[in-house]
């Protein structure tokens, strides 16, 4: 009888332990089922115009926007550009060096005027080319009566000249342009090119500065500039290819660039 009692006691304790373990596991499973794992949502950063050329920057800001064009854009539908985009101005390539004339210039300047854009013309500067030939080439195309905006000189190369010779050639040509048009031209250049070769050389000239980034460029001398060309891969209605887009900066307006007749 004593042995039976001991056996029953041991059996009862075993059953109690098993039952307690089962309840513990049940509670644990229940907690596991009701515990939620909250995943943090990743912050979605919208693409910039440099990541998505179809993004229309001029629809998202208050800057005055414009473009520059040449034969590289092919045949442009200026009526569409004028009516369905927010482009206020255009600089058209007229000439390059001493003998190159842009094949689309005559058509572009006529139609851009007809469809409401403010128009200026530019010359691509070749520092080693004969300056008088370059002047004659540009002035035969860039006629004062067809200009709304001051002429622009595109300065992107030293022509392998030493910096001092390059700057001397540039200053001579700028003086020649001013003598013909009776106003200082706008100078186009890249941020890096300016910082390397042109710091302190163009203090009396308005600048269009090219830098393809999300934030405006800062020049080495921290000077002011009139226009920022912020992309070379823009898209607009009326042009099948990519377009250089720019905008006026600071407190500048198109009146600062107006051609004085």
């Amino acid at each position: 009888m004593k042995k039976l009692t001991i056996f029953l006691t041991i059996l009862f304790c075993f059953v109690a332990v098993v039952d307690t373990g089962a309840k513990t596991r049940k509670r644990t499973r229940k907690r596991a089922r009701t515990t939620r794992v909250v995943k943090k949502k990743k912050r979605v950063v919208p693409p910039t115009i440099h990541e998505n050329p179809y993004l229309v920057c001029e629809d998202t800001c208050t800057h005055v926007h414009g473009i520059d064009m040449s034969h590289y854009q092919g045949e442009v539908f200026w009526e569409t550009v004028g009516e369905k985009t927010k482009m206020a101005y255009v600089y058209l390539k007229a000439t390059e060096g001493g003998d190159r004339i842009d094949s689309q210039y005559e058509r572009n300047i006529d139609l851009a005027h007809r469809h409401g854009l403010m128009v200026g013309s530019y010359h691509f500067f070749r520092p080693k080319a004969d300056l008088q030939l370059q002047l004659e080439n540009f002035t035969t195309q860039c006629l004062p009566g067809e200009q709304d905006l001051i002429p622009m000189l595109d300065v992107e190369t030293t022509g392998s000249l030493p910096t001092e010779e390059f700057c001397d050639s540039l200053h001579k040509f700028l003086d020649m342009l001013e003598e013909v048009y009776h106003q200082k031209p706008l100078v186009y250049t890249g941020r890096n090119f300016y910082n390397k070769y042109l710091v302190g050389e163009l203090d009396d000239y308005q600048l269009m500065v090219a830098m393809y980034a999300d934030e405006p460029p800062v020049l080495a001398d921290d000077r002011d500039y009139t226009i920022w060309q912020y992309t070379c891969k823009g898209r607009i209605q009326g042009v099948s290819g990519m377009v250089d887009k720019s905008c006026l900066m600071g407190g500048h307006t198109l009146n600062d660039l107006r051609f004085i007749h």
Side-chain angles (χ1 to χ4, degrees):
M1 187 70 179
K2 186 176 181 180
K3 288 182 179 181
L4 179 61
T5 302
I6 293 171
F7 174 76
L8 291 173
T9 301
I10 293 171
L11 180 63
F12 175 78
C13 291
F14 176 77
V15 170
V17 169
V18 170
D19 184 59
T20 300
K23 288 180 180 179
T24 300
R25 287 194 297 275
K26 188 175 182 181
R27 284 198 298 270
T28 301
R29 286 197 297 270
K30 187 175 182 181
R31 282 199 300 270
R33 285 198 300 270
T34 58
T35 300
R36 285 187 174 183
V37 178
V38 180
K39 293 184 178 180
K40 291 183 178 180
K41 291 183 179 181
K42 290 185 178 180
R43 180 170 169 262
V44 178
V45 179
T48 68
I49 193 168
H50 308 288
E51 296 165 330
N52 177 11
Y54 293 94
L55 182 68
V56 184
C57 179
E58 56 273 15
D59 283 344
T60 64
C61 72
T62 58
H63 290 102
V64 176
H65 286 260
I67 49 180
D68 57 90
M69 309 281 277
S70 70
H71 66 278
Y72 289 113
Q73 279 73 44
E75 189 169 311
V76 175
F77 296 94
W78 285 102
E79 182 177 3
T80 304
V81 174
E83 292 182 0
K84 296 187 178 181
T85 75
K86 294 184 178 180
M87 299 299 110
Y89 64 89
V90 58
Y91 266 98
L92 300 170
K93 184 176 183 180
T95 52
E96 179 176 336
D99 57 1
R100 295 186 186 178
I101 297 171
D102 192 273
S103 60
Q104 292 292 318
Y105 177 71
E106 191 172 340
R107 177 182 185 276
N108 282 344
I109 197 167
D110 175 42
L111 294 178
H113 270 132
R114 284 196 212 177
H115 297 292
L117 281 82
M118 298 279 284
V119 180
S121 304
Y122 75 90
H123 173 77
F124 190 97
F125 182 55
R126 293 291 181 185
K128 291 175 74 172
D130 183 276
L131 298 184
Q132 186 59 41
L133 289 178
Q134 292 196 71
L135 182 69
E136 291 172 2
N137 189 28
F138 185 56
T139 56
T140 56
Q141 301 301 315
C142 179
L143 304 177
E146 297 178 343
Q147 310 304 310
D148 302 308
L149 306 175
I150 58 176
M152 182 170 76
L153 188 63
D154 185 340
V155 183
E156 300 183 43
T157 177
T158 65
S160 300
L161 291 175
T163 301
E164 187 175 346
E165 288 184 39
F166 157 67
C167 288
D168 182 61
S169 176
L170 174 60
H171 280 296
K172 285 179 179 176
F173 194 66
L174 287 170
D175 289 342
M176 293 165 75
L177 287 174
E178 185 176 353
E179 186 175 352
V180 172
Y181 294 107
H182 308 295
Q183 48 215 309
K184 291 183 179 296
L186 174 70
V187 177
Y188 168 94
T189 193
R191 193 265 322 252
N192 293 342
F193 191 88
Y194 178 89
N195 287 345
K196 186 172 183 179
Y197 299 108
L198 296 172
V199 171
E201 297 291 337
L202 298 171
D203 292 347
D204 295 331
Y205 295 88
Q206 296 189 77
L207 299 177
M208 180 193 287
V209 178
M211 187 180 79
Y212 308 139
D214 298 327
E215 297 296 327
V218 176
L219 301 180
D221 53 3
D222 204 30
R223 64 155 292 182
D224 172 69
Y225 50 90
T226 306
I227 303 177
W228 170 30
Q229 186 187 87
Y230 55 87
T231 185
C232 62
K233 296 181 178 180
R235 296 281 185 171
I236 61 172
Q237 294 186 65
V239 182
S240 59
M242 293 182 290
V243 181
D244 296 338
K245 283 183 169 183
S246 60
C247 61
L248 296 176
M249 298 298 292
H252 291 287
T253 69
L254 286 175
N255 279 333
D256 297 332
L257 298 169
R258 189 176 294 275
F259 193 104
I260 301 171
H261 295 277

